[in-house]
Amino acid sequence: MVFHPFRNVIVCHMVPGSEDKVGPVFGHYDGITRPQDLGVIGRVLLSHDDLYIHIVERKQDPAISGQRRGLPAFEKIAEAIGPYVTPYPSYWENPSHSVAKEFYHWVPEGDVPAGGELTVIVQRMKPGSEPDIARVFTESDAGPLPRETGVTGRWLYSIDDVFVHLLEQDREMAATVRQDHESLRPAFAKVMEGLSPYVSPYRPEKWQAPKDSVAHVFYRWQAEDWRPED
């Protein structure tokens, strides 16, 4: 059985082009502190247009582990990235309002290949449409498509009008799908059609193909002294 970390997904605005300012801040503090002592085993920072996406990976849900403390040096990090990273939601009042809400997840039953490749897809969504989006994926994930494309896990999050889709796939099968996308086009088209009333490109004027909705990884950290069996 493949281990899936518990993930918090933080979404903010970010000044476009400031990845080289934000990434080194986390590189510095991840190097001099031990986030894993607080249950944090990995971190991925991504950008998409003017969005900052921060995925915090933990051994397990803090509600279960009881490890609810924030990141080491949180205040210093927030101060250093403050000129570049600002709140996204219109209702923002405190840092917890930058955490996206998970509203759907799916993992296959039984043994699945290890070494999943994580893709983060970002789109706009009709606020309040989480049940409709979840329904479309529930129907699709009940069929053969996830297994045919090597999906080892799917998690959907929302924050204000932003929809974040975390997709884990077996690396070899993901590469095969990219090379032979045409054979699966009808199945993908059915999912896209179902989502179309609720989901659209984040920047329609820039969008030309599905790859234009994929966020770009600009920083990644993983605790070297931790393994899933720990």
Side-chain angles (χ1 to χ4, degrees), residues 127-208:
S129 62
E130 289 91 344
D132 298 297
I133 295 171
R135 172 181 50 78
V136 173
F137 279 101
T138 298
E139 293 173 358
S140 176
D141 289 338
L145 186 61
R147 293 160 187 84
E148 291 175 352
T149 54
V151 176
T152 57
R154 185 193 317 281
W155 297 264
L156 308 182
Y157 300 80
S158 64
I159 181 167
D160 208 343
D161 64 344
V162 172
F163 168 51
V164 182
H165 178 176
L166 269 56
L167 177 67
E168 272 188 8
Q169 288 176 283
D170 170 68
R171 294 183 188 279
E172 292 186 4
M173 292 190 70
T176 299
V177 169
R178 284 193 291 267
Q179 293 174 359
D180 186 27
H181 193 269
E182 286 300 318
S183 64
L184 294 166
R185 185 179 293 275
F188 284 129
K190 182 178 180 181
V191 175
M192 294 301 102
E193 181 181 358
L195 292 174
S196 61
Y198 318 109
V199 174
S200 60
Y202 182 74
R203 283 280 187 265
E205 67 277 13
K206 296 182 179 181
W207 194 92
Q208 295 183 337

Side-chain angles (χ1 to χ4, degrees), residues 4 8 22 80 84 96 115 134:
H4 296 290
N8 283 127
V22 176
Y84 314 105
S96 68

Side-chain angles (χ1 to χ4, degrees), residues 25-26 29 71-85 95:
V25 173
F26 283 93
Y29 285 105
L71 301 175
F74 171 81
E75 291 184 1
K76 293 180 179 178
I77 293 171
E79 181 179 356
I81 68 174
Y84 314 105
V85 177

Side-chain angles (χ1 to χ4, degrees), residues 71-129:
L71 301 175
F74 171 81
E75 291 184 1
K76 293 180 179 178
I77 293 171
E79 181 179 356
I81 68 174
Y84 314 105
V85 177
T86 54
Y88 182 87
S90 56
Y91 50 80
W92 195 93
E93 294 180 350
N94 59 67
S96 68
H97 290 161
S98 291
V99 179
K101 177 184 69 175
E102 181 186 313
F103 65 91
Y104 174 85
H105 74 269
W106 176 87
V107 294
E109 295 180 357
D111 293 333
V112 295
E117 175 181 293
L118 181 66
T119 301
V120 179
I121 301 161
V122 183
Q123 296 171 288
R124 288 202 188 274
M125 63 177 285
K126 179 181 178 182
S129 62

